[in-house]
């Protein structure tokens, strides 16, 4: 008997091998080139009968709209579910929600408050589950970021990316990507806001080229790309303390000048000008933030196609 095909969850970059991720990234470039009329070879089979459910426990502009449009452009349809529209919001278990939704839809994307919710959903779902951001990681964002880097700078291998600011969910997915794609990642974060230990230990085990420092200048020196993110992520409450700790970590023109010539600036957005990034850098010639936002659409098409069986 042929072995049952494993469900293609897209939960985190540390759980997917490099070859598969490379294939998804190549498909993202191809999706962009193809535009709205996605050729049959990039679409999963029977896509016109497939439905993606999207669950949001937190707000979203880019993830919500890009997944919705992506699913439609590859030929499927979507249902958007806010937490409070579901019985989940009234205490129905994740386990039951996963099994019920799996009887109706072909894939589930979730933006979850807690990473455990994502993991539990995937444990009990019999259709692919996609991580649309949790408190711990944001892998779909990083696929779009890698696509943007390759477009603007070139191949990732051997390059240097500098992360400046909070060692948050987006930073952890960058760490996973550094190991999978063979580039150096330098993280400059205040000691209290370094990425969580589990991610650091994983990166060490994978022998990823990761350097951690409290000094933004050291991280940015000669880097090919400088990345930052909001100082206060969704669900965090210690805003005052974070802002105090992160004040020396604004990515401004003086800091960007220390990066390599031709370096790009990235930010997953939404951005808070004057905090993590200056107006001049965000709007300046090195900024790739709107290409990055656009690439969410193309990367999402590639992720959905893979989850639904293409390639
Ligand atoms: N970058 C990102 O995930 O944006 P949204 O919160 O708007 O989805
Ligand atoms: N780190 C941010 C990313 C938003 C897309 C957050 O979790 O709120």
């Amino acid at each position: 008997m042929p072995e049952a095909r494993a469900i293609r969850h897209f939960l985190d970059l540390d759980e997917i091998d490099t070859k598969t991720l490379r294939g998804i990234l190549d498909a993202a470039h191809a999706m962009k080139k193809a535009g709205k009329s996605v050729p049959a070879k990039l679409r999963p089979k029977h896509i016109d009968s497939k439905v993606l459910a999207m669950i949001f426990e937190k707000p979203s502009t880019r993830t919500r709209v890009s997944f919705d449009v992506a699913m439609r452009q590859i030929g499927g349809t979507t249902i958007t579910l806010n937490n409070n529209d579901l019985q989940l919001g009234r205490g129905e278990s994740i386990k039951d929600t996963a099994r019920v939704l799996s009887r109706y839809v072909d894939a589930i994307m979730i933006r979850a408050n807690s990473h455990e919710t994502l993991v539990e959903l995937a444990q009990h779902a019999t259709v692919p589950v996609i991580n649309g951001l949790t408190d711990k990681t944001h892998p779909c964002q990083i696929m779009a970021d890698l696509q943007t880097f390759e477009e603007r700078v070139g191949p990732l291998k051997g390059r240097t990316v500098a992360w400046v600011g909070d060692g948050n969910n987006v930073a952890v997915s960058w760490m996973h990507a550094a190991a999978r794609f063979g580039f150096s990642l330098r993280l400059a974060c205040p000691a209290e806001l370094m990425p969580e230990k589990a991610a650091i230990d994983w990166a060490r085990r994978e022998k990823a080229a990761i350097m951690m420092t409290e000094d933004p200048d050291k991280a940015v020196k000669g880097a090919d790309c400088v990345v930052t993110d909001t100082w206060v992520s969704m669900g965090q409450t210690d805003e005052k303390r974070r802002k105090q700790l992160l004040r020396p970590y604004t990515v401004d023109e003086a800091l960007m000048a220390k990066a390599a010539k031709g370096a790009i600036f990235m930010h997953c957005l939404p951005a808070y000008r004057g905090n993590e990034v200056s107006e001049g850098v965000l709007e300046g010639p090195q900024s790739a933030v709107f290409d990055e936002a656009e690439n969410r659409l193309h990367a999402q098409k590639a992720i959905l196609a893979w989850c639904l069986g293409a390639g």
Side-chain angles (χ1 to χ4, degrees):
M1 269 235 312
E3 234 179 83
R5 203 169 179 180
I7 301 173
R8 288 181 170 182
H9 296 304
F10 193 86
L11 300 184
D12 269 314
L13 305 184
D14 61 344
E15 294 183 8
I16 305 177
D17 60 79
T18 301
K19 189 167 169 263
T20 302
L21 291 174
R22 182 67 257 169
I24 297 173
L25 202 47
D26 289 343
H29 287 294
M31 290 287 186
K32 186 164 187 173
K33 223 166 147 197
K36 286 188 184 181
S37 25
V38 178
K41 67 174 190 322
L42 294 177
R43 293 175 192 240
K45 283 197 191 95
H46 312 300
I47 184 69
D48 55 343
S49 64
K50 308 245 185 244
V51 180
L52 169 72
M54 304 192 290
I55 305 175
F56 289 94
E57 293 189 331
K58 308 194 213 197
S60 166
T61 298
R62 280 143 288 268
T63 305
R64 179 188 300 262
V65 180
S66 60
F67 260 110
D68 201 330
V69 174
M71 188 63 180
R72 292 171 201 224
Q73 287 189 1
I74 62 170
T77 51
T78 61
I79 303 173
T80 302
L81 304 159
N82 295 319
N83 205 27
N84 289 334
D85 304 336
L86 292 169
Q87 295 289 4
L88 194 59
R90 293 182 66 243
E92 186 169 15
S93 70
I94 293 287
K95 185 169 153 176
D96 292 353
T97 306
R99 288 180 293 177
V100 170
L101 288 182
S102 298
R103 302 282 178 114
Y104 303 140
V105 302
D106 303 281
I108 305 168
M109 191 283 291
I110 183 164
R111 169 161 288 194
N113 286 322
S114 146
H115 197 79
E116 285 72 47
T117 302
L118 169 83
V119 172
E120 203 181 337
L121 189 73
Q123 259 163 11
H124 298 282
T126 53
V127 298
V129 172
I130 300 170
N131 177 356
L133 180 145
T134 69
D135 55 337
K136 301 269 193 247
T137 54
H138 196 4
C140 294
Q141 177 67 52
I142 298 330
M143 293 305 279
D145 294 359
L146 299 176
Q147 181 178 4
T148 310
F149 186 98
E150 290 187 337
E151 279 171 3
R152 289 271 197 132
V153 183
L156 286 152
K157 205 161 180 65
R159 297 291 194 152
T160 300
V161 173
W163 175 273
V164 179
D166 184 19
N168 66 11
N169 45 1
V170 179
V172 168
S173 286
W174 268 106
M175 291 169 77
H176 294 162
R180 289 290 174 260
F181 287 89
F183 59 88
S184 301
L185 181 66
R186 300 189 201 137
L187 298 127
C189 315
E192 247 180 70
L193 299 176
M194 285 287 172
E196 62 171 31
K197 192 174 173 301
I200 299 170
D201 291 347
W202 178 85
R204 297 243 152 89
R205 280 199 304 278
E206 293 288 315
K207 301 195 172 27
I210 286 177
M211 184 266 258
M212 277 169 301
T213 172
E214 289 177 51
D215 181 354
D217 288 4
K218 236 166 132 180
V220 165
K221 193 168 180 251
D224 301 295
C225 172
V226 180
V227 200
T228 189
D229 186 14
T230 179
W231 287 347
V232 188
S233 285
M234 290 179 276
Q236 289 172 339
T237 48
D238 46 350
E239 180 171 344
K240 204 164 152 222
R241 173 84 182 137
R242 298 180 146 270
K243 285 187 170 164
Q244 257 169 13
L245 288 169
L246 286 158
R247 191 48 63 197
Y249 291 81
T250 303
V251 179
D252 58 14
E253 289 84 334
L255 189 63
M256 276 310 286
K258 298 186 171 126
K261 204 166 166 273
I264 59 166
F265 169 75
M266 289 209 275
H267 187 313
C268 65
L269 304 177
Y272 299 89
R273 292 162 165 85
N275 284 344
E276 73 272 10
V277 60
S278 69
E279 170 81 8
V281 168
L282 193 77
E283 300 289 353
Q286 288 167 289
S287 175
V289 298
F290 294 104
D291 285 352
E292 199 185 342
E294 178 189 330
N295 286 339
R296 294 296 305 276
L297 171 64
H298 309 299
Q300 245 78 285
K301 285 194 264 189
I303 292 166
L304 284 167
W306 177 74
C307 289
L308 292 167

